[in-house]
Amino acid sequence: MIDKSILQKALADEYCVPAFNFTNFQIFKAIITTCEKLKSPVVLQLSEGALKNFGDNFVQCFLPVIKSTSVPCVLHLDHGKSFDSIKRAIDLGFDSVMIDGSCLPLKDNIELTKLVCEYAHKKNVIVEGELGMIKGDDDNANFGGSAYTNPNDAKQFVKETKVDSLAVAMGTNHGMQKYISEPKLRFDILEDIQNEIPNIPLVLHGASLIQKKYVDIINKNGGKIEKALGNDKMFVGLHKTHICKVNMDTDLRLAYTAGIREYLASNLDAIDPRDYDKNANKYLEEVIADRIINICHSDNKY
Ligand code: G3H
Ligand code: 13P
Ligand code: ZN
């Protein structure tokens, strides 16, 4: 079921919409099944890389399922980097797009995001912008300003671009290693941003927890993940803030890989993907349910 106002409802009712990336069909299925079971709205997102890997025709296969879910569900382009990439996603039937101009100087980011909003809004597609630097994928960015989102810039950005939601940098990072040393999230900056743009749903990227449980299962069963350092208990109370969309990808990759490695390590003759996918699904559903209930508080909302 498509409902493009899901973030506005989350803002009003104090919960977050989980936004899960998917990289294969098993993960897509686990997300939808768990969200329907727990009556949680959901954003299903594809990175440019994931979109390329599936291919346009195969991505369109997901749309009938997304449109027939019992809970609100939108297909979203994650970290779209160019106008062409946005246009391609909209032509394919995406309901929502992110234009990530965070590596650009403020003026250029505003210009690109404004162009995307003008195009997308005409087609009834919602737009997420980004200000500040969320490390990981953006590590090599030639970023001229502060790593954290500047609250005054946020006000100007929203006013000039007419963006529907804004990804903010408050200290989270993409990937498996969230912090080099001491974890530090700037909830003070988040509060200042909220005061400047009180009606705009905010988005938290890099929100995977990187739980030791799944890293340990992988490492016990032939894997070798050495630098994993997560957010763990840092998101308590997130649903009370204006963060309305919480982006998680790495946690699903960890859960899926843990399930597969565990099964294959003790079933040496296994060749049926349904068998090891079943074990991966157990961990996927466990992680998805945990984030819905304990981080997003988005269960039983529909
Ligand atoms: O924000 C980044 C996502 O985790 C996507 O990563 O480009 O490897 O698909 P990817
Ligand atoms: P993680 O790497 O923490 O899962 O972040 C994913 C993300 O922000 C996708 O846009
Ligand atoms: Zn991201």
Side-chain angles (χ1 to χ4, degrees):
M1 180 208 310
I2 310 270
D3 177 354
K4 292 178 183 165
S5 62
I6 56 176
L7 298 190
Q8 283 295 344
K9 183 166 159 29
L11 181 62
D13 295 351
E14 292 192 344
Y15 62 90
C16 315
V17 177
F20 296 112
N21 290 64
F22 63 101
T23 42
N24 67 15
F25 181 73
Q26 190 60 45
I27 296 177
F28 174 78
K29 189 176 162 195
I31 296 167
I32 293 202
T33 307
T34 314
C35 289
E36 287 193 316
K37 207 184 291 171
L38 294 176
K39 300 185 169 63
S40 169
V42 64
V43 174
L44 275 158
Q45 44 191 32
L46 285 173
S47 67
E48 286 181 342
L51 172 54
K52 187 170 172 220
N53 192 48
F54 278 120
D56 292 8
N57 289 344
F58 291 101
V59 165
Q60 282 177 317
C61 295
F62 294 116
L63 289 170
V65 181
I66 289 173
K67 284 185 184 147
S68 63
T69 51
S70 60
V71 289
C73 179
V74 298
L75 181 62
H76 174 81
L77 177 72
D78 191 29
H79 294 281
K81 292 282 186 185
S82 65
F83 184 79
D84 281 353
S85 174
I86 298 292
K87 195 172 171 304
R88 175 179 173 208
I90 293 176
D91 289 347
L92 279 173
F94 281 61
D95 314 292
S96 170
V97 291
M98 174 189 193
I99 178 68
D100 178 359
S102 61
C103 297
L104 302 170
L106 178 63
K107 185 174 155 290
D108 297 352
N109 190 358
I110 288 177
E111 203 172 295
L112 176 62
T113 307
K114 190 173 171 212
L115 193 70
V116 165
C117 286
E118 284 165 0
Y119 181 81
H121 289 162
K122 266 192 228 140
K123 307 221 172 225
N124 200 22
V125 168
I126 51 181
V127 182
E128 171 184 333
E130 180 177 326
L131 257 192
M133 190 160 102
I134 300 155
K135 287 193 205 140
D137 296 344
D138 296 344
D139 263 350
N140 300 319
N142 178 18
F143 186 76
S146 149
Y148 298 106
T149 304
N150 176 314
N152 294 323
D153 289 352
K155 189 174 184 180
Q156 182 191 353
F157 186 84
V158 166
K159 187 167 172 247
E160 292 186 21
T161 60
K162 308 274 187 295
V163 82
D164 301 289
S165 64
L166 182 66
V168 293
M170 55 179 282
T172 56
N173 293 311
H174 291 110
M176 205 106 70
Q177 197 179 9
K178 302 296 184 192
Y179 307 96
I180 304 295
S181 53
E182 192 65 15
K184 192 167 187 202
L185 290 187
R186 295 290 302 272
F187 280 94
D188 56 326
I189 290 181
L190 176 62
E191 203 174 322
D192 291 344
I193 297 168
Q194 293 179 177
N195 289 336
E196 291 298 339
I197 45 171
N199 301 319
I200 297 292
L202 303 176
V203 181
L204 188 67
H205 283 247
S208 279
L209 303 187
I210 319 296
Q211 287 166 300
K212 192 173 175 307
K213 170 179 171 175
Y214 304 100
V215 175
D216 285 351
I217 294 172
I218 292 172
N219 286 345
K220 258 189 225 146
N221 291 286
K224 197 168 185 229
I225 294 175
E226 285 169 334
K227 287 186 174 171
L229 185 55
N231 291 309
D232 209 7
K233 299 195 171 57
M234 303 194 64
F235 296 142
V236 178
L238 198 63
H239 61 298
K240 296 274 180 196
T241 71
H242 289 202
I243 297 287
C244 298
K245 174 172 176 274
V246 176
N247 280 22
M248 294 160 281
D249 184 355
T250 309
D251 276 348
L252 302 193
R253 298 181 188 196
L254 279 173
Y256 181 77
T257 305
I260 295 205
R261 275 202 181 275
E262 185 181 61
Y263 190 88
L264 292 180
S266 51
N267 294 275
L268 299 183
D269 59 347
I271 61 147
D272 188 337
R274 288 173 294 186
D275 294 332
Y276 43 88
D277 272 354
K278 196 168 166 195
N279 204 47
N281 193 58
K282 177 182 76 183
Y283 290 136
L284 281 170
E285 292 200 0
E286 181 176 89
V287 165
I288 294 163
D290 175 73
R291 304 309 185 267
I292 288 173
I293 296 167
N294 298 316
I295 303 290
C296 294
H297 297 258
S298 58
D299 49 318
N300 294 315
K301 292 296 184 286
Y302 286 86

